[in-house]
Amino acid sequence: MIAALALAGFVAIALRSPNSDLAETSGLLLDGFWMTLFIWTASCSAGALFAGILVAGDLSGIPALRILARAEITFFRGTPLIAQLYLVYYGAGEISRFLESINLWWIFKSPISCVIIVFVLNTAAYQAHVVAGAIRALPKEQNDAARALGLSARATIFKVLLPQAMIIAIRPLANEVTKMVKASAIASVVTVLDLLGTARMIFNETLDYSFFFIAACVYLILIGTVRIAMEGLEHHLLRHLALTAPGTSRRQAAPIYPA
Amino acid sequence: MVGNLFGQLSLGAGGWGDELLSGLGVTLKLCLVSLPCGLLLGLALAIAQGTHWALLREASSLLTAVLRGIPELLTLLLIFYGGQYALNAVTTSLGLGIVELSAFIAGVATLSLIFAAYSSEVFIGVLRAISRSSLEAAKALGLGRIPTLLHVILPELFRLSLPGLSNLWLSMVKQTALISIIGYGDLLREAYIAASSSGNKLYFYFFACLAYLAITQLSEYAAARVSGRLSRGLS
């Protein structure tokens, strides 16, 4: 399938109209590709860190922290990413005077950093929702047993709850990481030159439609690769569950908790 | 300017309320038109995955892979510009001149196709999960193929696929915002115009976000209620 897509990509390149310069545009597209990769990896990793903070807030005993965390998660999961981006990008421009006075304008001035901020907040909300849901799905006995053993809160979370919650959470998290690759294309609406942004810019100048096809092929190959990598990671991390050992059918492995 | 906050939202000539309301209507119209199209197409794709014809199987899996593998914005641009090019090619060869492709149609096509690609996955899983015993019981009762479909398969299908489909519905509501990129007057586009003209950018974009939030929260609540109702009596 990937071979078919790569072939389609070469066909698209071959079919492009003669008034576009291949050397120049392929250089631009390559830069766009690196930009997409950067946006994706930066926002996913920083988002994972911020999601950890959100989960801690969501599960904490302090109502104020819980409300703040839940508000962030609900807001950023319930509104479109592009609306969030407009809100921060154009909104920060409106209050630039105020931001200058507290010395924060430099973050919001550049489109790329605005994009990263919004994407981090967005993916952190989704990731935190998944992880918090997974922790809440664990049987209460786990927490009680850890208490009975005298484990500290930190040990309970990191040695008992989180490893088990990650088993549930890893598939949705992998899906979220894959989704972020596609979401990175939205950066193009605020003049960030990622892969889609470059393709649109070239299209606007040359009206050569094949650049969209080329971008599509690159995204397909990228997402296909990411998906295969995520499946491999999942297979590797869940290898102790013997999900594909002979005699067990998929997802009907030995129970995680002794029944 | 701050004192005029509510005035900005007023309906009629002075405020932006009526434009924003029409944008909200457009967004809802997009979703409600794309939903049945996407559902039918998704069901068709799911059934195509189970047929004997390899060509149909491969074609549907290729279509699903492509639609799930490229950014939604790119899909929209491909359909909008590509559709216009294709339409131009067809109409000029027929001597009809240039017919404009409506952005609404491009938007509905994009949203339906993306919804169909993801919902076919949901349906494939659900169709597998519908218990064999239900089907055997229907056969034992002498139900023909159509009554089995109507009274046994479809209710079960609806109940089991609701969680997955409600997630897809929420995604679709958020994807409608992308259509503002091609200039169509949905909620975000109207908010963009209002924000740019009036300069109250934070205010209008925040309002738009709250409107989307209202739609998604209501949808989640409704889906939870329906799901609870459908699972009545089941353990």
Side-chain angles (χ1 to χ4, degrees):
Chain A
M1 175 128 349
I2 295 188
L5 297 169
L7 185 65
F10 287 125
V11 167
I13 294 177
L15 281 181
R16 83 195 190 296
S17 65
N19 60 356
S20 40
D21 178 18
L22 182 61
E24 186 187 347
T25 56
S26 60
L28 287 171
L29 286 171
L30 192 61
D31 287 337
F33 177 71
W34 292 132
M35 177 61 80
T36 292
L37 276 190
F38 168 70
I39 295 176
W40 170 54
T41 49
S43 44
C44 272
S45 42
L49 289 175
F50 190 58
I53 300 177
L54 283 175
V55 171
D58 197 6
L59 298 174
S60 78
I62 308 172
L65 289 181
R66 250 204 328 262
I67 292 176
L68 272 176
R70 294 249 174 98
E72 199 272 3
I73 293 177
T74 311
F75 182 78
F76 282 94
R77 285 184 77 235
T79 53
L81 179 58
I82 183 173
Q84 297 161 12
L85 190 53
Y86 278 178
L87 177 66
V88 172
Y89 183 67
Y90 292 116
E94 184 187 345
I95 56 171
S96 62
R97 211 77 59 78
F98 167 69
L99 289 173
E100 258 170 19
S101 66
I102 52 176
N103 214 3
L104 280 180
W105 171 235
W106 57 276
I107 310 180
F108 294 99
K109 195 161 83 165
S110 142
I112 297 180
S113 48
C114 248
V115 159
I116 299 284
I117 290 176
V118 174
F119 283 16
V120 166
L121 289 170
N122 188 294
T123 186
Y126 281 96
Q127 293 184 26
H129 184 252
V130 166
V131 174
I135 291 183
R136 281 204 203 93
L138 297 175
K140 202 164 182 304
E141 292 78 34
Q142 296 291 317
N143 214 345
D144 298 340
R147 276 275 181 86
L149 283 173
L151 293 178
S152 68
R154 191 158 160 222
T156 313
I157 293 178
F158 285 106
K159 299 273 195 229
V160 177
L161 295 179
L162 215 45
Q164 298 183 58
M166 278 305 157
I167 295 176
I168 306 174
I170 198 168
R171 171 68 62 91
L173 281 179
N175 284 342
E176 172 59 23
V177 167
T178 312
K179 258 179 53 192
M180 274 316 279
V181 179
K182 295 192 284 177
S184 70
I186 296 190
S188 63
V189 311
V190 287
T191 72
V192 169
L193 283 179
D194 68 325
L195 183 56
L196 183 57
T198 318
R200 283 176 75 190
M201 179 186 78
I202 299 178
F203 172 71
N204 285 332
E205 288 182 15
T206 65
L207 289 184
D208 183 3
Y209 185 69
S210 62
F211 286 103
F212 284 140
F213 280 129
I214 297 176
C217 292
V218 176
Y219 274 115
L220 277 168
I221 295 174
L222 178 59
I223 289 191
T225 313
V226 168
R227 221 173 248 146
I228 294 176
M230 288 293 136
E231 277 175 30
L233 186 67
E234 189 185 337
H235 187 86
H236 176 74
L237 288 174
L238 299 185
R239 65 194 184 281
H240 64 291
L241 293 180
L243 285 169
T244 52
T248 66
S249 56
R250 233 180 164 253
R251 291 295 179 216
Q252 282 176 13
I256 300 173
Y257 319 108
Chain B
M1 199 164 57
V2 175
N4 200 20
L5 272 181
F6 281 112
Q8 295 272 354
L9 276 187
S10 66
L11 304 165
W16 292 96
D18 46 346
E19 279 89 1
L20 290 172
L21 211 56
S22 97
L24 182 64
V26 165
T27 295
L28 289 173
K29 207 165 61 169
L30 271 172
C31 298
L32 291 172
V33 172
S34 308
L35 181 65
C37 302
L39 278 174
L40 285 174
L41 195 53
L43 203 50
L45 283 174
I47 294 175
Q49 285 280 32
T51 59
H52 303 294
W53 294 316
L55 185 63
L56 203 56
R57 261 204 323 265
E58 289 305 313
S60 71
S61 86
L62 180 65
L63 185 62
T64 312
V66 168
L67 286 168
R68 293 188 317 154
I70 64 178
E72 298 84 14
L73 185 53
L74 182 55
T75 318
L76 178 63
L77 294 174
L78 276 173
I79 292 181
F80 184 60
Y81 289 119
Q84 185 69 70
Y85 275 129
L87 196 61
N88 287 351
V90 166
T91 54
T92 51
S93 69
L94 291 177
L96 291 172
I98 302 285
V99 175
E100 225 178 79
L101 179 69
S102 144
F104 180 75
I105 300 216
V108 168
T110 309
L111 292 173
S112 315
L113 284 170
I114 295 176
F115 189 87
Y118 284 102
S119 65
S120 74
E121 295 283 303
V122 174
F123 286 137
I124 288 174
V126 167
L127 285 172
R128 267 198 218 123
I130 290 181
S131 61
R132 265 201 165 280
S133 51
S134 303
L135 297 174
E136 286 175 356
K139 214 173 193 182
L141 282 174
L143 290 176
R145 291 187 70 153
I146 300 275
T148 315
L149 183 69
L150 282 178
H151 298 290
V152 177
I153 296 182
L154 278 182
E156 189 93 4
L157 185 79
F158 187 54
R159 182 177 66 83
L160 287 176
S161 56
L162 196 60
L165 291 183
S166 68
N167 274 334
L168 296 178
W169 161 261
L170 293 175
S171 293
M172 187 163 72
V173 169
K174 290 181 268 182
Q175 280 158 16
T176 60
L178 293 174
I179 206 172
S180 65
I181 307 287
I182 54 176
Y184 195 61
D186 75 320
L187 176 60
L188 190 60
R189 174 78 182 155
E190 295 295 340
Y192 177 80
I193 296 175
S196 314
S197 312
S198 70
N200 293 342
K201 299 189 181 121
L202 268 180
Y203 181 64
F204 283 111
Y205 287 130
F206 199 63
F207 178 80
C209 284
L210 286 182
Y212 281 112
L213 200 56
I215 301 177
T216 49
Q217 295 307 104
L218 278 173
S219 305
E220 272 190 28
Y221 176 72
R225 283 289 296 253
V226 173
S227 195
R229 184 101 194 285
L230 288 176
S231 308
R232 244 184 350 186
L234 295 168
S235 57

Coordinates of all heavy atoms in Angstrom, one line a residue, chain A residues 29-83:
Chain A
L29 N 9.4 22.3 0.0 CA 8.6 21.2 0.6 C 9.3 20.5 1.6 O 8.7 20.1 2.7 CB 8.0 20.3 -0.5 CG 6.9 20.8 -1.4 CD1 6.7 19.9 -2.6 CD2 5.7 21.0 -0.6
L30 N 10.6 20.2 1.4 CA 11.4 19.5 2.4 C 11.5 20.4 3.7 O 11.3 19.8 4.8 CB 12.8 19.3 1.9 CG 13.6 18.3 2.7 CD1 12.9 17.0 2.8 CD2 15.0 18.2 2.1
D31 N 11.7 21.7 3.6 CA 11.7 22.5 4.8 C 10.3 22.4 5.5 O 10.2 22.4 6.7 CB 11.9 24.0 4.4 CG 13.4 24.2 4.0 OD1 14.2 23.4 4.4 OD2 13.6 25.2 3.2
G32 N 9.3 22.4 4.7 CA 7.9 22.3 5.3 C 7.8 21.0 6.0 O 7.2 20.9 7.1
F33 N 8.3 19.9 5.5 CA 8.3 18.6 6.1 C 9.0 18.6 7.4 O 8.5 18.2 8.5 CB 8.9 17.6 5.2 CG 8.9 16.2 5.8 CD1 7.8 15.5 6.0 CD2 10.1 15.6 6.2 CE1 7.8 14.2 6.5 CE2 10.1 14.4 6.7 CZ 9.0 13.7 6.9
W34 N 10.2 19.3 7.5 CA 10.9 19.3 8.8 C 10.1 20.2 9.8 O 10.0 19.8 11.0 CB 12.3 20.0 8.6 CG 13.2 19.1 7.8 CD1 14.0 19.6 6.8 CD2 13.5 17.7 8.0 NE1 14.8 18.5 6.3 CE2 14.5 17.4 7.0 CE3 13.1 16.7 8.9 CZ2 15.0 16.1 6.9 CZ3 13.6 15.5 8.7 CH2 14.6 15.2 7.8
M35 N 9.5 21.2 9.3 CA 8.7 22.1 10.2 C 7.5 21.3 10.8 O 7.2 21.3 12.0 CB 8.1 23.3 9.4 CG 7.2 24.2 10.2 SD 8.0 24.9 11.7 CE 8.9 26.2 10.9
T36 N 6.8 20.5 9.9 CA 5.7 19.6 10.4 C 6.3 18.7 11.5 O 5.6 18.5 12.5 CB 5.1 18.8 9.2 OG1 4.5 19.7 8.3 CG2 4.2 17.8 9.7
L37 N 7.4 18.0 11.2 CA 8.0 17.1 12.2 C 8.3 17.8 13.5 O 8.0 17.3 14.6 CB 9.3 16.5 11.7 CG 9.1 15.3 10.8 CD1 10.5 14.7 10.5 CD2 8.2 14.2 11.4
F38 N 8.8 19.0 13.4 CA 9.1 19.8 14.6 C 7.9 20.1 15.4 O 7.8 19.9 16.6 CB 9.9 21.1 14.2 CG 10.0 22.0 15.4 CD1 10.8 21.7 16.4 CD2 9.3 23.2 15.4 CE1 11.0 22.6 17.5 CE2 9.4 24.1 16.5 CZ 10.2 23.8 17.5
I39 N 6.9 20.6 14.7 CA 5.6 21.0 15.4 C 5.1 19.8 16.1 O 4.6 19.8 17.3 CB 4.6 21.6 14.5 CG1 5.1 22.9 13.9 CG2 3.3 21.8 15.1 CD1 4.2 23.5 12.9
W40 N 5.0 18.7 15.4 CA 4.4 17.5 15.9 C 5.2 17.0 17.1 O 4.6 16.7 18.2 CB 4.4 16.4 14.8 CG 4.0 15.0 15.3 CD1 2.9 14.7 16.0 CD2 4.8 13.8 15.1 NE1 2.9 13.4 16.2 CE2 4.0 12.8 15.7 CE3 6.0 13.5 14.5 CZ2 4.5 11.5 15.7 CZ3 6.4 12.2 14.5 CH2 5.7 11.2 15.1
T41 N 6.5 16.8 17.0 CA 7.2 16.2 18.1 C 7.3 17.2 19.3 O 7.1 16.7 20.5 CB 8.7 15.8 17.7 OG1 9.3 17.0 17.1 CG2 8.7 14.6 16.8
A42 N 7.5 18.5 19.0 CA 7.5 19.4 20.2 C 6.2 19.5 20.9 O 6.2 19.4 22.1 CB 7.9 20.8 19.6
S43 N 5.1 19.5 20.2 CA 3.8 19.7 20.9 C 3.5 18.4 21.6 O 2.9 18.4 22.7 CB 2.7 20.2 20.0 OG 2.8 19.5 18.8
C44 N 3.8 17.2 21.0 CA 3.4 16.0 21.7 C 4.2 15.8 22.9 O 3.6 15.4 24.0 CB 3.6 14.8 20.7 SG 2.2 14.4 19.8
S45 N 5.5 16.0 22.9 CA 6.3 15.8 24.1 C 6.0 16.8 25.2 O 5.8 16.4 26.3 CB 7.8 15.8 23.7 OG 8.1 16.8 22.8
A46 N 6.0 18.1 24.8 CA 5.6 19.1 25.8 C 4.2 18.9 26.3 O 3.9 19.1 27.5 CB 5.8 20.5 25.3
G47 N 3.3 18.4 25.4 CA 2.0 18.1 25.8 C 1.9 17.0 26.8 O 1.1 17.0 27.7
A48 N 2.8 16.0 26.6 CA 2.8 14.9 27.6 C 3.2 15.3 28.9 O 2.6 14.9 30.0 CB 3.7 13.8 27.1
L49 N 4.2 16.2 29.0 CA 4.6 16.7 30.3 C 3.5 17.5 31.0 O 3.2 17.3 32.1 CB 5.8 17.7 30.1 CG 7.1 16.9 29.7 CD1 8.2 18.0 29.5 CD2 7.6 16.0 30.9
F50 N 2.9 18.4 30.2 CA 1.8 19.2 30.8 C 0.6 18.3 31.1 O -0.1 18.6 32.1 CB 1.4 20.3 29.8 CG 0.4 21.3 30.3 CD1 0.8 22.1 31.4 CD2 -0.8 21.5 29.8 CE1 -0.1 23.0 32.0 CE2 -1.7 22.4 30.3 CZ -1.4 23.2 31.4
A51 N 0.4 17.3 30.4 CA -0.7 16.4 30.7 C -0.5 15.7 32.1 O -1.4 15.5 32.8 CB -0.8 15.3 29.6
G52 N 0.8 15.4 32.4 CA 1.1 14.9 33.7 C 0.7 15.8 34.8 O 0.1 15.4 35.8
I53 N 0.9 17.1 34.6 CA 0.5 18.1 35.6 C -1.0 18.1 35.6 O -1.6 18.2 36.7 CB 1.0 19.5 35.2 CG1 2.6 19.5 35.1 CG2 0.5 20.6 36.1 CD1 3.2 20.8 34.7
L54 N -1.7 18.1 34.5 CA -3.1 18.1 34.5 C -3.7 16.9 35.2 O -4.7 17.0 36.0 CB -3.7 18.1 33.1 CG -3.6 19.5 32.4 CD1 -4.0 19.3 30.9 CD2 -4.5 20.5 33.1
V55 N -3.1 15.7 35.0 CA -3.6 14.5 35.6 C -3.4 14.6 37.1 O -4.3 14.3 37.9 CB -2.9 13.3 35.1 CG1 -3.3 12.0 35.9 CG2 -3.3 13.0 33.7
A56 N -2.3 15.1 37.5 CA -2.0 15.3 39.0 C -3.1 16.3 39.6 O -3.6 16.0 40.6 CB -0.6 15.9 39.2
G57 N -3.4 17.3 38.8 CA -4.4 18.2 39.3 C -5.8 17.6 39.3 O -6.6 17.8 40.3
D58 N -6.1 16.8 38.3 CA -7.4 16.2 38.2 C -7.7 15.2 39.3 O -8.8 15.1 39.8 CB -7.6 15.5 36.8 CG -9.0 15.2 36.5 OD1 -9.9 15.7 37.2 OD2 -9.2 14.6 35.4
L59 N -6.6 14.5 39.7 CA -6.8 13.5 40.7 C -6.5 14.0 42.1 O -6.6 13.2 43.1 CB -5.9 12.3 40.4 CG -6.2 11.6 39.1 CD1 -5.1 10.5 38.8 CD2 -7.6 10.9 39.1
S60 N -6.1 15.2 42.2 CA -5.7 15.7 43.6 C -6.9 15.9 44.4 O -8.0 16.0 44.0 CB -4.9 17.0 43.4 OG -5.8 18.1 43.2
G61 N -6.6 16.1 45.7 CA -7.7 16.3 46.7 C -8.2 17.8 46.8 O -9.2 18.1 47.3
I62 N -7.4 18.7 46.2 CA -7.7 20.1 46.3 C -8.8 20.5 45.2 O -8.5 20.4 44.0 CB -6.5 21.0 46.1 CG1 -5.4 20.5 47.0 CG2 -6.8 22.4 46.4 CD1 -4.0 21.1 46.8
P63 N -9.9 20.9 45.7 CA -11.0 21.2 44.7 C -10.6 22.3 43.6 O -11.0 22.1 42.5 CB -12.2 21.7 45.5 CG -11.9 21.2 46.9 CD -10.4 21.1 47.0
A64 N -9.9 23.3 44.1 CA -9.5 24.4 43.1 C -8.7 23.8 42.0 O -8.9 24.1 40.8 CB -8.8 25.5 43.9
L65 N -7.7 23.0 42.3 CA -6.8 22.4 41.3 C -7.6 21.5 40.4 O -7.5 21.4 39.1 CB -5.7 21.6 41.9 CG -4.6 22.4 42.6 CD1 -3.5 21.4 43.2 CD2 -4.0 23.3 41.6
R66 N -8.6 20.7 41.0 CA -9.4 19.8 40.2 C -10.2 20.6 39.2 O -10.3 20.2 38.0 CB -10.3 19.0 41.1 CG -9.9 17.6 41.2 CD -11.1 16.7 41.6 NE -12.1 17.2 42.5 CZ -12.1 17.0 43.8 NH1 -11.1 16.3 44.4 NH2 -13.0 17.6 44.5
I67 N -10.8 21.7 39.7 CA -11.7 22.5 38.8 C -10.9 23.1 37.7 O -11.3 23.1 36.5 CB -12.4 23.6 39.6 CG1 -13.4 22.9 40.5 CG2 -13.1 24.6 38.7 CD1 -14.1 23.9 41.4
L68 N -9.7 23.6 38.0 CA -8.8 24.2 37.0 C -8.5 23.2 35.9 O -8.6 23.4 34.7 CB -7.6 24.8 37.6 CG -7.6 26.2 38.1 CD1 -6.3 26.5 38.8 CD2 -7.9 27.1 36.9
A69 N -8.0 22.0 36.4 CA -7.6 20.9 35.4 C -8.8 20.5 34.6 O -8.7 20.4 33.3 CB -7.0 19.8 36.2
R70 N -9.9 20.3 35.2 CA -11.1 19.8 34.4 C -11.6 20.9 33.4 O -12.0 20.6 32.3 CB -12.3 19.5 35.4 CG -12.1 18.4 36.3 CD -13.0 17.2 35.9 NE -12.6 16.1 36.8 CZ -13.2 15.8 37.9 NH1 -14.3 16.4 38.3 NH2 -12.8 14.8 38.6
A71 N -11.4 22.2 33.9 CA -11.8 23.3 33.0 C -10.9 23.3 31.7 O -11.4 23.4 30.6 CB -11.8 24.6 33.7
E72 N -9.6 23.2 31.9 CA -8.7 23.2 30.8 C -9.0 22.0 29.9 O -9.1 22.2 28.7 CB -7.3 23.0 31.3 CG -6.2 23.5 30.3 CD -5.7 22.4 29.4 OE1 -6.2 21.3 29.4 OE2 -4.8 22.7 28.5
I73 N -9.2 20.8 30.5 CA -9.5 19.6 29.7 C -10.8 19.8 28.9 O -10.8 19.5 27.7 CB -9.5 18.3 30.6 CG1 -8.1 18.1 31.1 CG2 -10.0 17.1 29.8 CD1 -8.1 16.9 32.1
T74 N -11.8 20.2 29.6 CA -13.1 20.4 28.9 C -13.0 21.4 27.8 O -13.5 21.2 26.7 CB -14.2 20.8 29.9 OG1 -14.1 19.9 31.0 CG2 -15.6 20.7 29.2
F75 N -12.4 22.5 28.1 CA -12.3 23.6 27.0 C -11.6 23.2 25.8 O -12.0 23.3 24.7 CB -11.7 24.8 27.6 CG -11.7 26.0 26.7 CD1 -12.8 26.8 26.5 CD2 -10.5 26.3 26.0 CE1 -12.8 27.8 25.6 CE2 -10.5 27.4 25.1 CZ -11.6 28.1 24.9
F76 N -10.4 22.6 26.0 CA -9.6 22.3 24.9 C -10.0 21.0 24.1 O -9.6 20.8 23.0 CB -8.1 22.2 25.3 CG -7.5 23.5 25.4 CD1 -7.4 24.1 26.7 CD2 -7.0 24.2 24.4 CE1 -6.9 25.4 26.8 CE2 -6.4 25.5 24.5 CZ -6.4 26.1 25.7
R77 N -10.8 20.2 24.8 CA -11.3 19.0 24.1 C -12.6 19.4 23.4 O -13.0 18.7 22.4 CB -11.6 17.9 25.0 CG -10.3 17.2 25.5 CD -10.7 16.0 26.3 NE -11.1 14.9 25.5 CZ -12.3 14.2 25.7 NH1 -13.1 14.6 26.6 NH2 -12.6 13.2 24.9
G78 N -13.3 20.4 23.8 CA -14.6 20.7 23.3 C -14.7 21.7 22.3 O -15.8 22.0 21.7
T79 N -13.6 22.4 22.0 CA -13.6 23.4 20.9 C -12.6 23.0 19.8 O -11.7 22.3 20.0 CB -13.2 24.8 21.5 OG1 -11.9 24.6 22.2 CG2 -14.2 25.3 22.5
P80 N -12.9 23.5 18.6 CA -12.0 23.1 17.5 C -10.6 23.7 17.7 O -10.4 24.8 18.2 CB -12.6 23.8 16.3 CG -14.0 24.1 16.7 CD -14.0 24.3 18.1
L81 N -9.6 23.0 17.2 CA -8.2 23.5 17.4 C -8.0 24.8 16.7 O -7.3 25.7 17.2 CB -7.3 22.4 16.8 CG -5.8 22.7 16.8 CD1 -5.3 23.0 18.3 CD2 -5.0 21.5 16.2
I82 N -8.7 24.9 15.5 CA -8.4 26.1 14.7 C -9.0 27.4 15.5 O -8.4 28.5 15.4 CB -9.0 26.0 13.3 CG1 -8.7 27.2 12.5 CG2 -10.4 25.7 13.3 CD1 -9.0 27.0 11.0
A83 N -10.2 27.1 16.2 CA -10.7 28.3 16.9 C -9.8 28.6 18.1 O -9.6 29.8 18.4 CB -12.1 27.9 17.5

